[in-house]
Amino acid sequence: MLSGGGGGSGGGGGGAGGGGGAGGGSGGGRSPKPSFVSYVTPEEINLTEKEISRKEKQPDLLQGEVIFCSASPIRKCTQDDFSQRGIFGSLFCTNFRISFISDETQLEEEEGQVFKNKLYGENDIPLTCVDNIYRGFDEKKKLITSGSVRNKYPSKIIIHCKDLRVFQFSLAFAKEEDAKKIFQGIVHHCLEPKSLKCIFAFSYSEKMTFSSENQTKLKTVMFDSMVDWAQEMKRTKGNCKLVSANADFNISTKYIWCWSHHSGCALFKTASLPLMQEDGCSQSYRTYMERYCTCVKTEELPETLPTIQDIQQSYNKFKQFFLVDNTTEFWMSDVKWFSSLENSGWLDIIRQCLTKAVEVVECLENENTNVLIMEEEGSDLCCVISSLVQVMLDPHFRTLEGFQSLVQKEWVAGGHHFLDRCNYLHKDKESPVFLLFLECVWQLLQQYAPAFQFSETYLTVLSDSVDVSVFSTFLFNSPHHRATTIQPVSLLAQKGPLNLPTVWDWSVQFNSAAQDFFTNPLYVEKSRQDKVPRKTFRPKHQRHQSLPSTAFKSSPKKSFFKDETDSLKKMLRVKRISRWLNPTDLTQSTTREFYEAWQRKPLDYHGLLLPCVDGPALRVWAQRYLRWLPEVQIFGGGAMTLEKKLVDLLAEVRELRGKLDWHCSVDFSHRGAAALAGSSVRLSSAFPFFVSRTWSFKPAIPSCLQKNLITGTFADKEDEDSECLGVI
Amino acid sequence: MAEIESCFVFNASTKQSIFLCFQASNESLKMELLADVPLLPGEERVIGKYKDIIYICPFNGPVKGRVFITNYRLFFRSVDVDPAVTLNVPLGVISRVEKMGGASSRGENSYGLDITCKDMRNLRFALKQEGHSRRDIFDILFRYAFPLSHGLQLFAFLSQEKYQENGWTVYNPVQEFRRQGLPNDQWRITFLNNNYELCDTYPTILVVPYSASDEDLRKVATFRSRGRIPVLSWIHPENQAVITRCSQPLVGMSGKRNRDDERYLDIIRATNKMTSKLTIFDARPNVNAVANKATGGGYEGEDAYQNAELVFLDIHNIHVMRESLKKLKDIVYPNVEESHWLSSLESTHWLEHIKLVLSGAIQVADKISTGSSVVVHCSDGWDRTAQLTSLAMLMLDSYYRTFRGFQVLLEKEWISFGHKFASRIGHGDKNHADADRSPIFLQFIDCVWQMTKQFPTAFEFNERLLVAVLDHLYSCRFGTFLYNCESARDANEVKMKTVSLWSFINSDRASYINPFYTVEFVHVLYPVASMRHLELWVSYYIRWNPRIRQQVRKGQICSSSTHLLGSTSQDHICILQLCQRGCTSVKMRSYCKMGFNGVEMLLYF
């Protein structure tokens, strides 16, 4: 009965651009389509009839996307239903994604569906977004590893995604051959090691032309040219000389200027130096240090921060709390939520990073010393700390464009091993270091919302984009790696240089209405008036005590780098520079004082921001982690309701202002969630990510409450009153 | 030299709550220049300046200063410290005063007073050891902090404050029942309890099934603990499902039955055609309900009440809640537990209890909105029952989420139905270890706060109102939360002799309004009772700790949205303030048409 389905592997979709003729056959005078819900047993389904209507349904393929295999009918088990209901449809595996196409007519473009990703839909999983695949049987599940698949296939597969969605597909209704093929295809493409060239971005961009206009329209500074660096240095009034010696990427150890404080001191990062014997080199080093860096504090990050492996392990534990397969499991885990959260250690890692960044900020801000942060490769925690420091110190990096430039500067140009850390090629070097940074920024954002131009939705989307495998931003291990990869590919490509899209071109994923969700309506733009006098809050004398900034600037000695490349190289090979001056506990107490002193001052959203890292202050990024869990949807509530109200109020004030004709020339740039303004969409806490179709009026009622909540002490005690109840 | 209360005040909204007592309208403030402490009308100094006392601030270390004590408050101000540290503590919040150290104690600051407060803090003062210097201050503090134990009156009876509005008129039971569409053909208003003869802890006006006679009610009262018979709290405007509340049936060890009670519950069921089975929510854990049989109580047995289903909601008793809060205080005051914050928080079970109460209320609300009537009770029907009915009503009825409606809700479900405020809080009573004390009302307010967090635009009032209510729950400045029930209030002429908290609150409405309130009538709000969404109310429980800066809350959002509107132009600030004052947009528009001066004028009036 089931012949072929969507065709075997191979070139199904091709250039046609997907299911163009979807409207055609289904309406052809046939009896009303059966709805495939639980009360219809699979046997009753008239498969032949289904077959015909299914044929027309194929995923809308992207440029360069090719279908590998497909199977049908596949039942997608939905989580939010009480029964074991599901939707029937077809499952496809392409070179970009796993795609489930429902047989039921999609109620597309519903109200509230403003937030649609152009690259993949709610039933699509980009291959690189697949985290784990499980074999499901009798309410249990078993992890599938790349080697373990032989000729078998399970009746049910459970896919855990990196963006924390959970899919369950039942393969039991498809033809054995198809089921086997799709299962093996999915496992192969999602779990087996592969080569970089197989990543979808390459075939995608071969076919697509991302006009460089698009790129130049972006205000994000990419830090791929000397000019960008020079500009940035000018902006921060930094006084380091630019070195182009590394143009050929021959200095393996990177030693990078990050940012200059307005007092003249600067932040640098580097990979740890190989230990060398004391030879002539150290002599030259000593003189070098005497000449150029009289005050540098070195911070070796691995000594106080968790390792890359720790981060990965902790996150693995943490994310499990959100990859919930069913409601019972959810409420079971709810009872021990706080202690499980603590055991995962994830919030603690965030705390450690924030604390470390505050320490560095203290050095720059209070002591005006140069700071050099070190780490073995100089491209993981160094990136986290250096970029956090800059977010805290420099309001420019709290704007949308500024933040994107920061990621370009510290992470992309800074050589973070995105490819390895994101595990696109399944090579076991995965670690959510970039996510950790976003987490830390989110903590700052939720503590000081008005200081950030971007919203938490922006951060969530950015964290999702990492796993989409289309963007050059996350595709390489370093600029060098990028250059060496792209060159040969470009030579082969006929259309000239390969032009991979950057993630910052948000139009690749979202239309402009959806992009409105990226701006934070609470953001307080710096008013022109504010710019000058605000500084008076700061105790100026303190800064000048150590090093008057003017002296600092005029003295070439204080400059960290000269363009003497040779001596630079020598210096790089030298052992250690200096130890952190304070022992750790002393540091902690001064950092505490530093925080408290800062806290006593009036809060300036355009000045220094320090996070509160005490237990109650650090939270779970609810939007990112809870958005797909039906049990915790707050219908009619959540942060977005507040945002919508604010946008409405702003619109109203703007209108009133127009009527009153006061200062009507002022243009408002606050757009946050503008798409919602005036609409009557009923929101939920998962909006805009998850829009419930079937409006559930049924509240979630916790089960599995901890029955023996208290130890016997009061259970036997009389209930409300010590007086006896009169027995009447 | 501007003084700021650096030690205890760390942001505007807390400042507000500490100095709430200063917010009375200007004419009611009597400035005492010498002391520089504005006293309330009727407030009198009972101790002169007490010099050379050291306040041992847990955050900033010992500070030397002066103390005044009035019949309402303890006031401390530091000397020689800039900015000055001040304390302004209504005596009502004090639960315990103890002497610390003896005349021969060694060590710095080891001799003095240790004061335990009901609002999550402790205060320690050190005095000089010479000449029994603390005897006077201890005696006075002990006397005035616990006036009822010393034959004195609570401050509410001494206060001479005057407000334009009379807060005692906020709640009028007949009016409130009329709002709900009562009486109707199924339910009648009865004045049977006019002299508190049917039930001395119930209000005088009750709503009961139309077809139950007064005689029936009297018979039912004999079978319900303390005569607290099932009466109507709320009726659904469309499906006519009702929330009724009562106390446990007096089943006892022998498993007694009472035909009148059984018939009465069936009458309640029958008032709503859609209710085939009346759901009885017993707030207690099953075991506790069974244990209550030993003291004559119990629960509705299946055999006796055939048209009812019984659901236990597993909420624990007042003793468990008291201990839980005690543990919570241990981990937040004076210092916040650092190394294992989350597991410590879990081990207090405070949020677990909040979850149980909320989830119980969700179940009540869910039953009602699906058209099924419910009966809610616990043991006596004045603690857990009040929590459940009022929270369910908050979910079901948007009126109770308004500024006025919330006051009505508290007056109705808590005050008039006899939540034992006097016993649970221990107003003016020195017996700090009284087993009757329990933070049940605080727990309810916490649940409300959790709801306002989850639905930031659904409540007309803001967090500050909740904090103000809790502050005056203890302060004894107003009569609202004094006494256990209406009959006791009548006997003490509370409405005649004291001021209502709502007089004070309603005179400063703007401070308590949520500017983001969006009127929405239709929907039931179900909060999510999962630990994933419940959080500790930091800005209440940890407000004394200056390190925990309050995170972005409404206050900040307000100020930032003021910025948004262009900090240069005053008009926007004005408009926003108008928003905050709860003006409708229509009104705003008309104000704005008057132009800036008009707006300005309106603001100052």
Side-chain angles (χ1 to χ4, degrees):
Chain A
M1 243 164 40
L2 280 163
S3 62
S9 61
S26 57
R30 241 164 308 179
S31 58
K33 280 180 84 179
S35 60
F36 294 93
V37 288
S38 63
Y39 47 83
V40 186
T41 59
E43 290 76 13
E44 289 174 89
I45 304 165
N46 185 339
L47 284 170
T48 334
E49 192 168 323
K50 291 233 14 82
E51 184 74 7
I52 298 158
S53 60
R54 197 184 314 121
K55 260 190 177 166
E56 292 120 28
K57 290 192 174 168
Q58 280 208 345
D60 290 332
L61 295 179
L62 300 169
Q63 293 292 325
E65 188 177 4
V66 177
I67 295 177
F68 288 146
C69 49
S70 68
S72 64
I74 300 291
R75 193 182 70 184
K76 182 192 164 204
C77 317
T78 47
Q79 284 182 76
D80 51 344
D81 288 312
F82 295 83
S83 59
Q84 274 295 304
R85 274 206 306 193
I87 309 162
F88 280 89
S90 320
L91 197 59
F92 297 84
C93 180
T94 76
N95 56 346
F96 170 55
R97 61 186 151 164
I98 298 165
S99 182
F100 175 80
I101 307 288
S102 163
D103 286 343
E104 284 173 45
T105 32
Q106 290 286 302
L107 299 162
E108 290 282 344
E109 306 306 328
E110 264 181 284
E111 218 190 348
Q113 271 288 76
V114 279
F115 203 70
K116 230 183 132 222
N117 196 310
K118 293 189 203 166
L119 296 179
Y120 62 100
E122 56 170 346
N123 284 323
D124 296 334
I125 315 161
L127 297 179
T128 42
C129 184
V130 172
D131 196 18
N132 279 314
I133 304 176
Y134 297 87
R135 193 157 68 89
F137 56 95
D138 334 315
E139 306 301 306
K140 276 183 267 174
K141 63 174 193 273
K142 203 181 162 198
L143 185 68
I144 294 168
T145 49
S146 65
S148 70
V149 187
R150 261 164 256 115
N151 234 355
K152 293 178 290 184
Y153 72 95
S155 61
K156 186 169 159 190
I157 54 171
I158 302 167
I159 301 177
H160 287 181
C161 303
K162 290 187 179 167
D163 60 8
L164 302 150
R165 288 179 297 169
V166 175
F167 288 91
Q168 301 191 9
F169 296 113
S170 167
L171 308 180
F173 309 105
K175 229 169 88 179
E176 195 181 324
E177 212 174 292
D178 288 350
K180 199 188 287 172
K181 205 174 277 174
I182 192 91
F183 173 65
Q184 286 173 352
I186 288 172
V187 169
H188 177 80
H189 293 293
C190 298
L191 301 178
E192 306 282 347
K194 54 173 145 183
S195 83
L196 179 57
K197 303 282 158 49
C198 295
I199 296 292
F200 179 64
F202 292 97
S203 36
Y204 181 57
S205 50
E206 247 170 54
K207 294 269 160 55
M208 287 289 264
T209 38
F210 295 95
S211 55
S212 39
E213 283 164 47
N214 249 355
Q215 304 266 1
T216 46
K217 246 192 333 203
L218 295 173
K219 281 180 241 150
T220 305
V221 187
M222 302 300 283
F223 289 95
D224 49 6
S225 67
M226 287 286 274
V227 187
D228 289 349
W229 285 96
Q231 283 289 336
E232 176 69 1
M233 212 165 271
K234 204 172 145 196
R235 192 186 69 81
T236 60
K237 301 188 181 69
N239 60 334
C240 296
K241 290 239 167 127
L242 285 163
V243 187
S244 57
N246 205 21
D248 314 322
F249 306 100
N250 62 1
I251 304 179
S252 56
T253 331
K254 285 150 277 171
Y255 213 44
I256 301 168
W257 169 87
C258 297
W259 185 79
S260 291
H261 189 255
H262 54 80
S263 67
C265 57
L267 173 69
F268 304 92
K269 63 183 175 189
T270 182
S272 330
L273 305 163
L275 296 169
M276 297 280 287
Q277 61 269 55
E278 304 270 321
D279 56 6
C281 193
S282 77
Q283 183 58 41
S284 79
Y285 149 72
R286 204 169 295 135
T287 45
Y288 199 92
M289 291 315 288
E290 274 163 19
R291 277 179 61 204
Y292 302 117
C293 11
T294 41
C295 45
V296 174
K297 277 192 178 177
T298 315
E299 175 74 348
E300 285 203 50
L301 298 178
E303 288 186 0
T304 43
L305 292 179
T307 66
I308 300 307
Q309 292 76 27
D310 292 342
I311 294 169
Q312 168 71 358
Q313 270 173 20
S314 166
Y315 183 69
N316 270 342
K317 279 192 211 162
F318 175 73
K319 74 182 177 202
Q320 293 308 326
F321 307 143
F322 311 101
L323 297 164
V324 181
D325 296 321
N326 59 57
T327 300
T328 326
E329 192 185 302
F330 174 85
W331 290 113
M332 291 270 280
S333 64
D334 203 50
V335 178
K336 286 276 162 202
W337 166 244
F338 287 113
S339 49
S340 327
L341 192 58
E342 185 174 289
N343 287 336
S344 79
W346 182 243
L347 287 181
D348 210 45
I349 289 177
I350 294 169
R351 175 177 296 114
Q352 289 175 46
C353 289
L354 287 170
T355 311
K356 179 61 66 190
V358 172
E359 281 170 34
V360 175
V361 168
E362 187 192 359
C363 281
L364 292 165
E365 176 82 10
N366 253 11
E367 296 160 33
N368 301 118
T369 21
N370 294 320
V371 179
L372 175 67
I373 50 178
M374 292 168 96
E375 180 191 18
E376 198 182 333
E377 306 224 37
S379 61
D380 286 307
L381 288 165
C382 270
C383 298
V384 177
I385 301 302
S386 68
S387 30
L388 274 178
V389 166
Q390 295 172 65
V391 169
M392 291 177 195
L393 278 163
D394 192 336
H396 170 66
F397 295 125
R398 293 176 223 144
T399 63
L400 195 98
E401 297 300 342
F403 182 76
Q404 299 185 161
S405 306
L406 179 71
V407 174
Q408 277 300 129
K409 180 174 70 160
E410 294 300 322
W411 295 80
V412 180
H416 176 63
H417 296 194
F418 274 112
L419 183 67
D420 289 345
R421 298 293 174 241
C422 301
N423 206 24
Y424 282 177
L425 310 182
H426 315 297
K427 280 185 175 160
D428 250 17
K429 286 180 187 167
E430 185 173 7
S431 187
V433 181
F434 185 62
L435 175 65
L436 175 62
F437 164 63
L438 296 183
E439 278 265 15
C440 293
V441 174
W442 182 85
Q443 300 290 345
L444 278 161
L445 174 69
Q446 59 104 14
Q447 291 187 16
Y448 308 104
F452 290 84
Q453 193 190 22
F454 48 87
S455 65
E456 80 167 332
T457 306
Y458 170 80
L459 289 177
T460 306
V461 166
L462 182 55
S463 76
D464 288 345
S465 305
V466 170
D467 302 309
V468 180
S469 76
V470 162
F471 309 108
S472 61
T473 321
F474 310 117
L475 216 50
F476 304 103
N477 281 334
S478 63
H480 172 65
H481 182 217
R482 179 197 165 100
T484 50
T485 313
I486 285 189
Q487 255 170 356
V489 175
S490 300
L491 285 175
L492 284 174
Q494 282 137 22
K495 281 205 255 165
L498 193 62
N499 203 354
L500 295 160
T502 155
V503 71
W504 314 127
D505 183 359
W506 291 106
S507 65
V508 174
Q509 290 190 81
F510 297 98
N511 63 23
S512 65
Q515 284 181 50
D516 282 348
F517 287 98
F518 294 171
T519 35
N520 172 10
L522 287 175
Y523 178 59
V524 186
E525 217 147 333
K526 198 165 193 172
S527 67
R528 266 157 228 110
Q529 245 191 354
D530 279 359
K531 270 175 189 161
V532 200
R534 271 288 162 98
K535 303 259 152 146
T536 45
F537 286 124
R538 302 189 174 185
K540 265 197 175 151
H541 57 277
Q542 230 176 13
R543 187 181 316 134
H544 289 280
Q545 269 169 0
S546 49
L547 280 171
S549 54
T550 43
F552 212 150
K553 243 170 244 167
S554 59
S555 158
K557 276 190 181 177
K558 299 282 165 28
S559 162
F560 203 77
F561 283 132
K562 295 274 280 175
D563 51 346
E564 305 158 30
T565 330
D566 286 341
S567 48
L568 170 68
K569 281 181 187 168
K570 258 185 205 159
M571 196 190 95
L572 289 172
R573 295 162 70 195
V574 170
K575 212 162 93 183
R576 297 271 145 94
I577 300 175
S578 70
R579 298 297 313 141
W580 191 245
L581 292 180
N582 305 318
T584 338
D585 41 340
L586 195 66
T587 318
Q588 267 169 10
S589 71
T590 64
T591 307
R592 206 182 166 92
E593 270 169 40
F594 174 60
Y595 174 77
E596 278 166 10
W598 171 80
Q599 204 189 28
R600 275 193 286 272
K601 283 179 258 174
L603 180 61
D604 175 10
Y605 289 121
H606 295 285
L608 174 65
L609 285 189
L610 295 181
C612 178
V613 294
D614 287 302
L618 292 189
R619 294 149 184 248
V620 171
W621 185 353
Q623 187 192 51
R624 178 176 153 82
Y625 295 106
L626 300 180
R627 58 192 154 150
W628 314 117
L629 292 174
E631 291 83 2
V632 288
Q633 301 287 306
I634 306 168
F635 289 108
M640 204 47 95
T641 53
L642 190 65
E643 198 167 301
K644 177 182 182 298
K645 180 68 184 180
L646 200 61
V647 171
D648 285 349
L649 272 179
L650 285 171
E652 186 163 336
V653 168
R654 198 176 330 163
E655 184 198 317
L656 289 170
R657 195 190 225 184
K659 278 190 183 156
L660 292 168
D661 211 20
W662 300 327
H663 317 280
C664 49
S665 60
V666 184
D667 183 43
F668 274 86
S669 54
H670 304 285
R671 301 172 306 168
L676 283 179
S679 87
S680 57
V681 181
R682 236 198 143 201
L683 308 174
S684 86
S685 57
F687 192 84
F689 292 94
F690 182 81
V691 181
S692 178
R693 300 252 154 69
T694 49
W695 181 260
S696 161
F697 279 98
K698 208 73 190 150
I701 294 163
S703 55
C704 308
L705 299 167
Q706 206 178 356
K707 293 275 176 184
N708 40 3
L709 194 59
I710 30 124
T711 48
T713 37
F714 295 106
D716 51 338
K717 195 156 179 176
E718 213 169 283
D719 232 39
E720 315 251 276
D721 257 304
S722 35
E723 312 161 43
C724 256
L725 289 162
V727 184
I728 305 167
Chain B
M1 193 175 67
E3 280 186 350
I4 55 166
E5 293 71 38
S6 74
C7 185
F8 284 99
V9 177
F10 46 95
N11 75 4
S13 88
T14 350
K15 193 176 208 157
Q16 210 75 35
S17 62
I18 292 172
F19 284 84
L20 275 175
C21 31
F22 294 169
Q23 286 183 355
S25 56
N26 277 326
E27 54 276 300
S28 74
L29 284 181
K30 183 172 72 186
M31 294 293 286
E32 252 192 64
L33 291 171
L34 252 179
D36 200 20
V37 185
L39 299 185
L40 297 170
E43 183 177 358
E44 274 167 23
R45 193 88 73 75
V46 291
I47 193 167
K49 273 186 232 169
Y50 221 95
K51 286 184 187 172
D52 292 338
I53 194 161
I54 293 163
Y55 164 55
I56 304 169
C57 174
F59 312 109
N60 295 351
V63 255
K64 206 175 186 187
R66 286 178 292 190
V67 156
F68 316 94
I69 296 172
T70 72
N71 50 4
Y72 175 64
R73 81 187 89 200
L74 178 153
F75 189 88
F76 169 87
R77 173 170 286 152
S78 64
V79 288
D80 315 326
V81 189
D82 186 34
V85 173
T86 58
L87 280 179
N88 189 354
V89 187
L91 297 181
V93 309
I94 295 174
S95 73
R96 181 181 193 177
V97 185
E98 276 189 313
K99 290 175 182 166
M100 166 178 88
S104 57
S105 304
R106 282 154 193 276
E108 217 181 338
N109 301 332
S110 61
Y111 175 84
L113 297 175
D114 199 346
I115 300 171
T116 311
C117 298
K118 296 168 183 174
D119 61 354
M120 304 295 283
R121 59 178 158 163
N122 294 337
L123 306 170
R124 301 181 86 184
F125 292 101
L127 293 106
K128 281 187 184 145
Q129 266 151 315
E130 303 91 56
H132 305 288
S133 63
R134 79 176 166 197
R135 194 199 288 147
D136 284 357
I137 188 169
F138 176 82
D139 286 348
I140 292 230
L141 209 53
F142 202 70
R143 222 171 126 79
Y144 285 92
F146 311 120
L148 296 186
S149 302
H150 295 91
L152 297 171
Q153 278 189 306
L154 292 167
F155 179 72
F157 290 91
L158 305 169
S159 168
Q160 302 292 318
E161 285 181 86
K162 298 271 185 295
Y163 293 94
Q164 281 204 326
E165 193 192 305
N166 178 6
W168 294 119
T169 61
V170 162
Y171 175 60
N172 176 330
V174 175
Q175 210 176 311
E176 163 59 16
F177 285 123
R178 198 170 293 150
R179 186 190 69 83
Q180 294 186 25
L182 297 167
N184 62 17
D185 56 354
Q186 296 286 352
W187 295 89
R188 66 187 175 99
I189 290 177
T190 175
F191 298 90
L192 184 64
N193 200 34
N194 221 356
N195 299 313
Y196 306 107
E197 280 160 355
L198 180 74
C199 171
D200 62 350
T201 57
Y202 262 4
T204 53
I205 295 167
L206 300 169
V207 174
V208 294
Y210 194 83
S211 43
S213 69
D214 286 359
E215 194 46 43
D216 290 338
L217 301 179
R218 284 197 191 91
K219 283 181 189 159
V220 173
T222 62
F223 193 63
R224 290 279 162 180
S225 172
R226 295 165 201 278
R228 294 172 67 93
I229 60 167
V231 294
L232 180 144
S233 266
W234 192 77
I235 184 164
H236 194 287
E238 281 142 33
N239 65 30
Q240 302 289 303
V242 293
I243 301 176
T244 52
R245 58 180 291 172
C246 59
S247 59
Q248 63 183 341
L250 298 174
V251 174
M253 291 297 266
S254 57
K256 263 183 292 190
R257 287 178 61 165
N258 181 305
R259 300 281 167 207
D260 298 302
D261 191 70
E262 290 162 23
R263 201 173 68 86
Y264 182 71
L265 285 196
D266 204 49
I267 290 173
I268 291 177
R269 181 193 61 80
T271 58
N272 181 5
K273 289 175 200 77
M274 282 164 76
T275 310
S276 55
K277 276 213 169 200
L278 183 69
T279 309
I280 301 171
F281 286 105
D282 189 326
R284 302 167 291 185
N286 196 340
V287 250
N288 293 36
V290 174
N292 263 278
K293 285 189 172 181
T295 48
Y299 53 92
E300 292 83 356
E302 263 176 46
D303 301 340
Y305 299 84
Q306 299 216 334
N307 287 328
E309 61 164 341
L310 184 65
V311 179
F312 291 103
L313 293 176
D314 293 320
I315 303 168
H316 287 276
N317 64 23
I318 59 166
H319 312 293
V320 175
M321 302 309 177
R322 182 179 58 236
E323 293 312 306
S324 174
L325 186 69
K326 214 175 257 171
K327 282 189 202 155
L328 182 64
K329 185 171 175 179
D330 286 344
I331 66 160
V332 300
Y333 192 91
N335 295 310
V336 176
E337 161 69 39
E338 267 181 53
S339 48
H340 296 287
W341 164 250
L342 291 169
S343 52
S344 310
L345 181 62
E346 185 173 281
S347 67
T348 68
H349 294 299
W350 183 254
L351 289 176
E352 183 85 38
H353 294 307
I354 297 278
K355 172 181 165 176
L356 281 162
V357 173
L358 276 174
S359 106
I362 290 169
Q363 291 174 62
V364 172
D366 183 39
K367 269 277 176 260
I368 293 294
S369 49
T370 51
S372 205
S373 291
V374 303
V375 174
V376 183
H377 72 72
C378 45
S379 295
D380 287 306
W382 50 44
D383 291 309
R384 288 167 278 197
T385 302
Q387 290 179 331
L388 290 169
T389 55
S390 52
L391 285 170
M393 287 156 74
L394 211 51
M395 293 171 199
L396 289 162
D397 191 339
S398 60
Y399 171 69
Y400 297 121
R401 305 194 284 261
T402 65
F403 184 67
R404 278 295 169 128
F406 186 66
Q407 298 174 16
V408 169
L409 183 73
L410 296 187
E411 285 282 350
K412 180 177 181 314
E413 289 302 299
W414 289 87
I415 297 166
S416 86
F417 273 103
H419 172 69
K420 302 207 298 176
F421 282 104
S423 309
R424 297 289 175 256
I425 310 300
H427 292 307
D429 175 32
K430 67 177 180 184
N431 185 7
H432 62 85
D434 190 338
D436 254 359
R437 294 197 185 177
S438 187
I440 300 301
F441 185 71
L442 165 65
Q443 190 175 50
F444 159 73
I445 294 289
D446 194 332
C447 291
V448 176
W449 179 81
Q450 303 284 350
M451 282 188 70
T452 63
K453 286 295 292 174
Q454 296 193 12
F455 301 98
T457 60
F459 293 82
E460 193 186 9
F461 53 88
N462 61 18
E463 182 179 26
R464 234 146 86 192
L465 178 74
L466 299 179
V467 174
V469 164
L470 288 177
D471 282 342
H472 291 295
L473 171 67
Y474 307 120
S475 77
C476 295
R477 179 173 157 193
F478 303 104
T480 305
F481 298 121
L482 304 183
Y483 302 102
N484 283 339
C485 53
E486 293 289 50
S487 59
R489 269 174 220 113
D490 280 2
N492 289 283
E493 297 172 285
V494 169
K495 290 190 183 183
M496 306 279 291
K497 292 180 173 169
T498 72
V499 176
S500 160
L501 170 62
W502 312 126
S503 306
F504 166 73
I505 295 282
N506 294 342
S507 71
D508 186 24
R509 189 175 189 272
S511 302
Y512 305 107
I513 290 293
N514 170 13
F516 305 108
Y517 173 58
T518 311
V519 188
E520 209 181 345
F521 297 105
V522 211
H523 298 286
V524 185
L525 295 188
Y526 293 116
V528 172
S530 156
M531 297 313 256
R532 266 81 157 181
H533 276 307
L534 299 182
E535 40 180 304
L536 185 72
W537 187 7
V538 170
S539 46
Y540 180 74
Y541 298 111
I542 321 188
R543 62 176 160 158
W544 310 119
N545 188 331
R547 247 189 86 77
I548 309 283
R549 185 201 282 266
Q550 208 188 13
Q551 310 306 317
V552 181
R553 291 277 178 259
K554 277 160 195 145
Q556 280 183 26
I557 290 174
C558 281
S559 70
S560 95
S561 37
T562 317
H563 270 276
L564 271 181
L565 309 172
S567 52
T568 48
S569 47
Q570 258 184 306
D571 52 319
H572 298 118
I573 300 168
C574 295
I575 292 171
L576 203 86
Q577 280 169 344
L578 286 170
C579 294
Q580 287 173 9
R581 281 162 193 241
C583 295
T584 63
S585 49
V586 182
K587 271 190 204 159
M588 270 171 63
R589 222 159 266 147
S590 61
Y591 292 153
C592 292
K593 275 182 195 142
M594 290 187 248
F596 181 72
N597 288 330
V599 176
E600 197 174 39
M601 270 169 59
L602 273 158
L603 276 176
Y604 292 108
F605 273 95

